[in-house]
Amino acid sequence: MKKSFIVIMLFLSALMAVGEDGYNCWLRYVPVENNNLLLSYKQAASEIQVNGTTATIMAARYELSLALKGLLGENIPLTKDIRKNGSILIGNAGFLGEGRKSLANDLQKAGAEGYLILTTSINQKKSILITANTDIGVLYGVFHFIRLLQTRQAIAALHIISAPRLKLRLLNHWDNLNRTVERGYAGFSIWNWHTLPGYVDQRYIDYARMNASTGINGTVLTNVNADATVLTKPYLEKVKALADAFRPYGVKVYLTARFSAPVELGGLKTADPLDPAVQQWWNNKVNEIYSLIPDFGGFLVKANSEGQPGPQNYGRSHADGANMLADAVASHKGIIMWRAFVYSNDLPDDRHKQAYNEFVPLDGKFRKNVMVQVKNGAIDFMPREPFHPLFGAMQKTPVMMEVQVTQEYLGQGTHLVYLSPLFKECLDSDTWSNGKGSTVAKIIDGSLDNHELNGLAGVANIGNDMNWTGHPFGQANWYALGRLSWDHTLSSGQIAEEWLRMTFSNDAAFINDVKIMMLSSREIMVKYMNPCGLHHIMATGHHYGPGPWVNNLARADWNPVYYHKADFAGIGFDRTPSGSNALGQYKAGAKKLWEDSSTCDERYLLWFHHVTWNHPMKSGRTLWNELCHQYNSGVDSVKWMRQVWNKHKTRVDAIRFRQVAMLLEIQEKEAAWWRNACLLYFQTFSKMTIPEKYEKPDQTLDYFKQLKFPFAPGN
Ligand code: GCW
């Protein structure tokens, strides 16, 4: 046995026994275990030539050296000139001189942020060229190349051209300045505002590396429930320090703008967007920001929603508000992302309809640098929602999609739920806005309605926990957000497999099983939480656990009873013309899937229809029996997830194995809690028995109702 092989095996077994803390996420560079593959990698990567000296190229060089050292077990030397076969050349195409001509086609396809990875001959030596039109493209290319090695792909003959399908690929942090995180389940905010700007934590740089490796190119640092303090001079200095740390990695900084800041900070009497003094205040503020951060991205705004101030306080429209800010940032090439998550305090109308009613009349009234940011569904990041009717309804406005990576309504920090299938379910939905095939993906990538500005944002699940996301599998959702915003045509399976290989192991048996578990996990959660189109039946405030009985909140549409409408006749929200007619906001092609309760896609049945407890389901069961079946099969499936995980104990390091095993045990208990609480409660209306074959609830309904979680995180 070769010495290097023994060293690798010792290293791996030490890792397995001791365990890993998960800090490196998927940028985990451990030795290649297969000797032949290792040899072929070593032959292809025997020296590195780096062209360029910018911070971004230096980051690319650092990453490549770090990765090769970890993966190949040795330091790969840098060279000024390629002299032997098996060299890697990195640098932007400006350095290629004449050689560039033959690559013109490929480089054109790569565009401003994409890259080319090519096996070619340089100085008559077989080499791998990683190049791009820009330095950031080179860094993205380097990360792709590293991924090939991490996932043990052949690299003998490469010709890869990749360019992002979306321009804005963003994280939205709901982080408060006091370091609490709204809907955050992984500790406190990673932004330590107190020690900034003097202390630049290594975490900030690792955060940027992680993002760049997936293609994420921007971050909104602060909560949409905004605090104007971040716009004061001392805080802008802190923001600048973060922007400087992220810049080499192509991650731009954005902030949330509190609409009333001119009053709160500027001492003005009004924040009316049409008032010249208000406009001037914002112009000055924006100039101040850009003098510190020349590539500042712009603002994300939540206005006139859930108590946030906005233009409507002054009788102005969302367009008036957005345009005022857009004008202030326009000359700096900044943008405004204006959220469409609004629902009126006074309007008794179905909340499902309100954003559409508010925004569709404003289509065409926004400045060119405004995007309307729309949640994937019309209610609020539910386990399953139909796509938001605003997609496809505002063709003159670039509409950006917002998904929730943090799992507010999906098991929070304790449930293993892989979200790529949820994101893709929405992206692949057909809105029919320009006839068949008008998918949400084509709307948000701008290709359907020809929008230059386009993007996807994910509400971050990141905190200061050792492994960033609390649940080790939460990292997969951060990763998936980046990969899908780079290329929404990737399959959830491919993304899961990449992530598993990089994060855990390249062992085929492990990957096959755990990938299936990941791919099934979201559907399993829907079954034990919100089957058949049920939604928003979570407990008050923190949304942790079931609360379908809640009926005492100030606003009707904050109460779960408003959403499920269970009564002695049946259950479900009638959104057909005989009810709220939210269905009327969808195009005929889309509507067809849902409009008739006897043919409705059953995953959305109770979303759109109020049906009897005896309603016949496709399975041959009555609705009541179907609910019993779904809830129970959800719980059984979590038991199965535990078996899958436990089977691979020897293939995962000790610490992370145990973490996931404990969390799955919690998940099983919580799934049973959801099932028992919901079935007992709905039974008070259906008056039907839970079929004998299912496990009986272990507690009474009153027991579940009195559970309290005063310090549940994220609230
Ligand atoms: O999902 C709801 C959350 C709020 C959040 C709001 C929003 C930031 O419960 O915590 O506030 O949506 O998206 O604005």
Side-chain angles (χ1 to χ4, degrees):
M1 226 184 287
K2 281 186 66 180
K3 202 172 119 222
S4 63
F5 182 70
I6 297 173
V7 172
I8 289 168
M9 292 320 285
L10 284 175
F11 178 83
L12 286 176
S13 47
L15 269 186
M16 301 292 258
V18 181
E20 297 184 45
D21 59 23
Y23 179 85
N24 290 328
C25 297
W26 51 90
L27 296 184
R28 181 175 158 276
Y29 305 137
V30 297
V32 175
E33 52 299 279
N34 175 309
N35 247 349
N36 292 336
L37 205 56
L38 180 63
L39 196 66
S40 75
Y41 287 174
K42 282 187 176 174
Q43 279 164 357
S46 59
E47 59 178 18
I48 307 170
Q49 187 189 333
V50 180
N51 282 340
T53 53
T54 64
T56 299
I57 294 297
M58 287 302 107
R61 169 185 137 169
Y62 166 81
E63 202 68 34
L64 188 57
S65 296
L66 182 75
L68 291 177
K69 177 159 193 221
L71 289 154
L72 311 186
E74 52 194 61
N75 281 316
I76 305 302
L78 292 169
T79 175
K80 287 223 154 62
D81 221 354
I82 285 176
R83 286 157 306 172
K84 46 180 174 180
N85 284 318
S87 301
I88 301 178
L89 174 73
I90 67 171
N92 93 38
F95 284 94
L96 299 177
E98 276 301 291
R100 193 176 166 176
K101 282 198 188 134
S102 62
L103 306 175
N105 239 340
D106 289 356
L107 284 167
Q108 202 204 340
K109 288 189 202 143
E113 288 182 290
Y115 50 84
L116 165 66
I117 307 177
L118 185 69
T119 304
T120 183
S121 165
I122 300 173
N123 297 343
Q124 277 96 52
K125 303 292 177 205
K126 184 176 175 187
S127 312
I128 295 173
L129 171 67
I130 305 178
T131 191
N133 295 306
T134 55
D135 291 348
I136 190 62
V138 175
L139 180 64
Y140 289 143
V142 163
F143 275 118
H144 186 133
F145 177 72
I146 294 171
R147 184 164 68 233
L148 295 177
L149 271 56
Q150 284 180 288
T151 57
R152 312 296 188 252
Q153 310 297 304
I155 57 164
L158 299 172
H159 189 174
I160 298 169
I161 307 162
S162 182
R165 287 178 194 269
L166 294 172
K167 236 188 203 127
L168 301 175
R169 308 179 295 277
L170 306 191
L171 279 171
N172 286 183
H173 286 262
W174 286 356
D175 293 17
N176 300 311
L177 300 181
N178 65 5
R179 295 193 77 177
T180 58
V181 180
E182 180 147 353
R183 313 309 175 186
Y185 311 102
F188 288 94
S189 170
I190 56 173
W191 319 133
N192 188 339
W193 295 105
H194 186 67
T195 56
L196 280 164
Y199 185 78
V200 178
D201 196 320
Q202 177 62 30
R203 236 184 211 265
Y204 306 148
I205 294 154
D206 291 330
Y207 166 85
R209 290 172 56 228
M210 234 77 87
N211 282 325
S213 73
T214 72
I216 288 173
N217 67 353
T219 178
V220 183
L221 300 175
T222 43
N223 192 352
V224 287
N225 292 335
D227 185 333
T229 311
V230 78
L231 300 176
T232 60
K233 187 82 199 288
Y235 275 81
L236 290 175
E237 299 278 0
K238 297 168 194 281
V239 173
K240 172 188 160 46
L242 289 174
D244 290 345
F246 301 161
R247 188 168 296 110
Y249 293 90
V251 179
K252 265 193 194 181
V253 157
Y254 301 74
L255 291 174
T256 46
R258 184 155 168 92
F259 204 78
S260 51
V263 177
E264 291 169 37
L265 301 182
L268 302 188
K269 293 226 157 49
T270 174
D272 180 350
L274 300 193
D275 185 309
V278 172
Q279 294 167 354
Q280 193 53 48
W281 188 88
W282 280 110
N283 288 343
N284 294 345
K285 186 48 73 185
V286 161
N287 289 339
E288 182 188 347
I289 296 175
Y290 278 94
S291 70
L292 293 166
I293 309 161
D295 55 355
F296 177 69
F299 293 120
L300 169 66
V301 188
K302 172 176 177 179
N304 294 118
S305 167
E306 299 184 333
Q308 293 299 303
Q312 292 178 335
N313 298 24
Y314 307 96
R316 313 298 183 193
S317 73
H318 283 286
D320 294 328
N323 291 343
M324 184 241 336
L325 290 173
D327 289 342
V329 297
S331 65
H332 304 281
K333 300 204 168 66
I335 60 153
I336 302 302
M337 294 164 285
W338 194 267
R339 291 177 92 229
F341 180 68
V342 299
Y343 54 101
S344 158
N345 281 323
D346 331 300
L347 219 65
D349 203 359
D350 179 1
R351 179 161 145 193
H352 193 299
K353 292 160 60 184
Q354 296 195 29
Y356 179 103
N357 289 342
E358 187 87 52
F359 277 82
V360 170
L362 299 177
D363 192 21
K365 301 216 163 90
F366 291 100
R367 297 280 191 272
K368 283 212 155 36
N369 56 337
V370 175
M371 308 189 71
V372 171
Q373 184 164 311
V374 177
K375 289 189 182 181
N376 59 286
I379 298 297
D380 197 6
F381 301 132
M382 293 294 112
R384 168 163 280 127
E385 290 192 59
F387 69 86
H388 200 302
L390 270 176
F391 291 116
M394 297 186 71
Q395 295 182 298
K396 295 188 195 121
T397 312
V399 170
M400 180 163 181
M401 180 157 115
E402 176 180 315
V403 294
Q404 208 179 37
V405 183
T406 193
Q407 295 167 233
E408 175 180 359
Y409 300 100
L410 291 96
Q412 304 195 345
T414 45
H415 295 209
L416 190 164
V417 183
Y418 172 53
L419 294 176
S420 175
L422 185 160
F423 302 159
K424 282 195 68 96
E425 188 170 281
C426 182
L427 287 164
D428 295 342
S429 297
D430 197 346
T431 69
W432 288 78
S433 63
N434 288 4
K436 192 171 167 46
S438 308
T439 58
V440 172
K442 289 188 196 162
I443 289 162
I444 68 153
D445 73 12
S447 59
L448 198 72
D449 304 311
N450 273 323
H451 289 300
E452 277 274 308
L453 258 186
N454 51 65
L456 172 65
V459 179
N461 61 346
I462 297 161
N464 71 348
D465 271 8
M466 179 71 94
N467 69 5
W468 304 82
T469 56
H471 199 305
F473 277 73
Q475 295 175 359
N477 296 330
W478 177 8
Y479 182 78
L481 174 81
R483 295 290 285 134
L484 283 175
S485 50
W486 186 275
D487 183 358
H488 54 67
T489 68
L490 293 173
S491 73
S492 296
Q494 179 180 339
I495 297 170
E497 177 160 345
E498 280 176 5
W499 179 80
L500 280 170
R501 285 177 179 274
M502 294 192 284
T503 308
F504 282 107
S505 161
N506 278 284
D507 183 299
F510 172 81
I511 291 162
N512 289 343
D513 280 356
V514 181
K515 184 166 91 176
I516 293 174
M517 174 178 85
M518 284 174 78
L519 289 172
S520 325
S521 59
R522 184 276 187 130
E523 210 56 51
I524 291 170
M525 185 228 36
V526 170
K527 286 184 178 171
Y528 65 71
M529 275 191 192
N530 284 195
C532 303
L534 285 171
H535 53 288
H536 218 302
I537 55 174
M538 290 75 186
T540 300
H542 45 69
H543 299 153
Y544 173 64
W549 45 81
V550 174
N551 62 1
N552 59 351
L553 300 177
R555 292 184 49 149
D557 60 0
W558 284 349
N559 288 293
V561 296
Y562 169 91
Y563 292 98
H564 63 67
K565 299 201 186 315
D567 55 27
F568 296 117
I571 181 170
F573 198 132
D574 183 1
R575 293 193 163 104
T576 69
S578 60
S580 80
N581 200 23
L583 256 180
Q585 296 181 334
Y586 291 99
K587 297 276 185 305
K591 218 167 24 184
K592 226 169 64 198
L593 302 173
W594 305 315
E595 64 194 347
D596 179 343
S597 65
S598 60
T599 56
C600 178
D601 178 342
E602 288 181 350
R603 297 174 305 168
Y604 301 95
L605 182 64
L606 305 181
W607 190 285
F608 287 112
H609 300 276
H610 190 81
V611 295
T612 64
W613 296 106
N614 276 319
H615 179 87
M617 301 293 282
K618 292 185 184 115
S619 60
R621 300 182 191 98
T622 62
L623 172 68
W624 168 252
N625 282 340
E626 183 66 27
L627 286 174
C628 294
H629 170 75
Q630 298 267 339
Y631 272 111
N632 276 283
S633 114
V635 177
D636 290 345
S637 301
V638 182
K639 292 185 180 141
W640 164 79
M641 288 168 73
R642 291 186 65 193
Q643 283 163 10
V644 171
W645 186 251
N646 289 336
K647 202 170 124 191
H648 294 286
K649 183 167 183 174
T650 56
R651 298 189 169 100
V652 182
D653 63 280
I655 293 182
R656 291 186 300 166
F657 176 81
R658 194 161 157 265
Q659 287 173 338
V660 175
M662 289 187 293
L663 287 163
L664 284 170
E665 193 175 341
I666 296 177
Q667 184 169 356
E668 186 189 322
K669 286 198 186 110
E670 294 185 345
W673 169 30
W674 268 93
R675 173 197 63 193
N676 295 344
C678 291
L679 287 180
L680 284 174
Y681 169 72
F682 291 132
Q683 194 177 35
T684 63
F685 297 100
S686 78
K687 307 280 182 207
M688 293 169 171
T689 52
I690 298 171
E692 268 308 306
K693 59 182 169 185
Y694 301 126
E695 220 175 303
K696 294 282 151 310
D698 54 349
Q699 298 284 356
T700 63
L701 180 56
D702 285 337
Y703 167 83
F704 293 118
K705 283 185 174 177
Q706 56 78 40
L707 292 175
K708 296 226 166 15
F709 304 92
F711 303 113
N715 198 8

